[in-house]
Amino acid sequence: MTISVALPHALTPYASGSSTLSVDDKCSTVADALAAVAAQWPAVTDRILTEQGALRRHVNVFVGDESIRFMDGLATAVPHGATITVVPAVSGG
Amino acid sequence: MSAPRHAPGTALVLVGTTKGGFILSSDESREHWTLDGPHFPGEAVYAVAYDERGGRTRTLMAAQSNHWGTTIRISDDHGATWSGHDRQAIRFPESSGLSLAQIWQITPGYADEPDVVWCGVEPAALFKSMDAGESWTPVEGLLHHEHRPRWMPGGGGLCLHTIVRDPANRDRMGIAISTAGFYRTDDGGATWQARNAGVRAVFLPNQYPEFGQCVHKVVSHTARPERLFLQNHWGLYRSDDWGDSWRDIANGVPSDFGFAMQMHPHDPDTVYIVPIQSDAFRVVAESKLRVYRTRNAGASWEPLTEGLPQQDAYENVLRDALTADTHSPAGIYFGTRGGKVFASASAGESWREIADALPSVCCVKSAVVGAGCA
């Protein structure tokens, strides 16, 4: 089984049109999984993380149904076969 | 590269708003305008530029997504198509601990260095591109400036919003930061000195510090590069020695608070501003939408009102939302927080509204196709 990373529509142009990316099941944390995404689709992670590697303020990332902000942040563990979902926060003006 | 869409002589007005970028165009008469956009709908555009060096007809817009960060986009066909960076090319080095928040200024270099472009950003830093905007590196001398830990963000953040160059001395450049003040380099960016003597900081116990002023805009003319004009957070100033000293020139304006300031393209004695009531009430002074003009380098100022609302006007004009084209007579343009764009084809003698319901205007730049950058 692999880990899936589900992208919002706004990020699919930076992943060759794909809305779901597959990364190596050996990734043990969200940070590992995003690093694996960056290796192939760096423009995707540019938009999820700042250049300092922090999660952007108005981006939410879920492992399963739980936001990593309420878990261990980017160090949140990713179970085998899990889905990581990237979602724009409900914000704007 | 796609073909440009506009004939030589076309006046372009590039408008950045909180919800996207727009391009207004007109023939030389500047009577009838066509609105194109929005480009990057939903994204804030705080910096735009037009660059004709090296045979290009390049439009640059800095598009900021509230969610996904800020990217410079490039069009070589007046906005018909946009290329540019999937990668976010302006990036702070990891060692800095800083992350890009906003791009505030894009300034093409000199004509004989067609691939050089400068960029001012938030948090305050200056970036340089040597390949016409494709890739960028920070100017280390400013990035590591000893004053940086004591720079304080203004209402718009800690932004480097103004870049002033000196064609007589390529190693000299000025930048302005809110809230840090005006800085100058004389060695091509290796070192930077605060140049704020005489500029008041009303919000500090020591009102004349070495740095920490909230400079809103600085302009100069290529014919008189040593003479600078400065719109401060309270205060209008002029320097005749490239910022070594400043003196007050708020002679006859209804308020010396304001943001925008623009040099006349052909006359080094003529400058335009838009007086704002106060820092607490950021609308045009006395609820009259007036551009003020000096034609004697600040000895006196005159209101320019024909065609502008003179009662019940509660607009604001931000620091980069007043600009000029290079036609003669010069076109002067400004955009408002209320989403209006006004144009004068007579160097300010009379005005007309050329867009009336845009999103809140952040910046306005103008150029004439075939004539280079305004």
Side-chain angles (χ1 to χ4, degrees), chain B residues 128-347:
Chain B
K128 183 179 185 181
S129 172
M130 300 288 283
D131 54 11
E134 299 290 337
S135 63
W136 299 83
T137 54
V139 173
E140 297 282 342
L142 195 62
L143 184 64
H144 302 295
H145 199 284
E146 61 181 352
H147 293 171
R148 175 175 292 279
R150 296 171 62 195
W151 291 343
M152 299 290 289
L158 181 64
C159 54
L160 193 161
H161 51 71
T162 294
I163 300 168
V164 187
R165 297 169 302 144
D166 186 345
N169 179 357
R170 296 289 183 94
D171 287 333
R172 177 171 285 177
M173 176 182 282
I175 56 95
I177 298 170
S178 295
T179 300
F182 184 70
Y183 283 74
R184 190 181 87 197
T185 180
D186 293 327
D187 55 14
T191 61
W192 297 78
Q193 292 77 41
R195 299 289 179 187
N196 301 292
V199 179
R200 196 157 60 119
V202 298
F203 45 85
L204 294 177
N206 170 12
Q207 296 202 344
Y208 292 94
E210 178 191 7
F211 64 93
Q213 285 82 353
C214 190
V215 175
H216 286 174
K217 183 54 62 179
V218 180
V219 298
S220 68
H221 196 282
T222 53
R224 293 286 304 270
E226 80 288 356
R227 190 166 69 187
L228 309 176
F229 298 89
L230 186 155
Q231 172 68 68
N232 199 44
H233 184 105
W234 293 115
L236 272 172
Y237 297 95
R238 184 179 120 190
S239 172
D240 293 324
D241 50 17
W242 239 107
D244 285 344
S245 61
W246 297 90
R247 64 186 177 88
D248 191 293
I249 56 166
N251 303 305
V253 292
S255 167
D256 65 358
F257 189 88
F259 292 94
M261 181 175 246
Q262 175 62 40
M263 200 83 226
H264 190 287
H266 309 305
D267 180 358
D269 293 333
T270 297
V271 180
Y272 301 83
I273 59 169
V274 180
I276 299 299
Q277 185 69 38
S278 72
D279 51 352
F281 191 39
R282 297 179 183 203
V283 298
V284 290
E286 300 165 342
S287 64
K288 300 175 181 178
L289 184 50
R290 294 169 294 187
V291 175
Y292 271 70
R293 177 177 65 186
T294 178
R295 291 193 284 188
N296 48 26
S300 62
W301 296 83
E302 60 181 331
L304 305 171
T305 62
E306 186 177 331
L308 300 176
Q310 295 305 298
Q311 62 180 15
D312 301 328
Y314 298 96
E315 292 279 13
N316 193 2
V317 179
L318 297 184
R319 72 184 84 232
D320 255 334
L322 173 64
T323 192
D325 71 25
T326 55
H327 276 307
S328 186
I332 312 294
Y333 309 90
F334 68 90
T336 73
R337 290 284 269 173
K340 296 179 174 63
V341 178
F342 291 91
S344 171
S346 54

Side-chain angles (χ1 to χ4, degrees), chain A residues 5 49 54 62 66 74 77 91:
Chain A
V5 179
L49 305 175
F62 294 81
E66 191 64 58
L74 294 170
S91 61

Side-chain angles (χ1 to χ4, degrees), chain A residues 46-47 52 56 58 89 93, chain B residues 19 67 86-88 92 98:
Chain A
D46 276 2
R47 286 159 176 80
Q52 299 300 332
R56 290 189 183 278
H58 296 294
Chain B
K19 302 294 181 188
H67 297 100
D86 286 349
R87 297 300 309 274
Q88 291 175 333
F92 282 93
L98 302 173

Side-chain angles (χ1 to χ4, degrees), chain A residues 8 10-11 13-14 42-43 46-48 50-52 56 58-59 86-93, chain B residues 19 66-71 73 85-100:
Chain A
L11 297 190
Y14 309 111
D46 276 2
R47 286 159 176 80
I48 299 171
T50 71
E51 57 263 59
Q52 299 300 332
R56 290 189 183 278
H58 296 294
V59 177
V86 179
V87 181
V90 181
S91 61
Chain B
K19 302 294 181 188
N66 191 43
H67 297 100
W68 314 116
T70 301
T71 309
R73 296 293 187 180
H85 312 290
D86 286 349
R87 297 300 309 274
Q88 291 175 333
I90 295 183
R91 305 172 70 84
F92 282 93
E94 187 175 349
S95 60
S96 71
L98 302 173
S99 299
L100 180 68

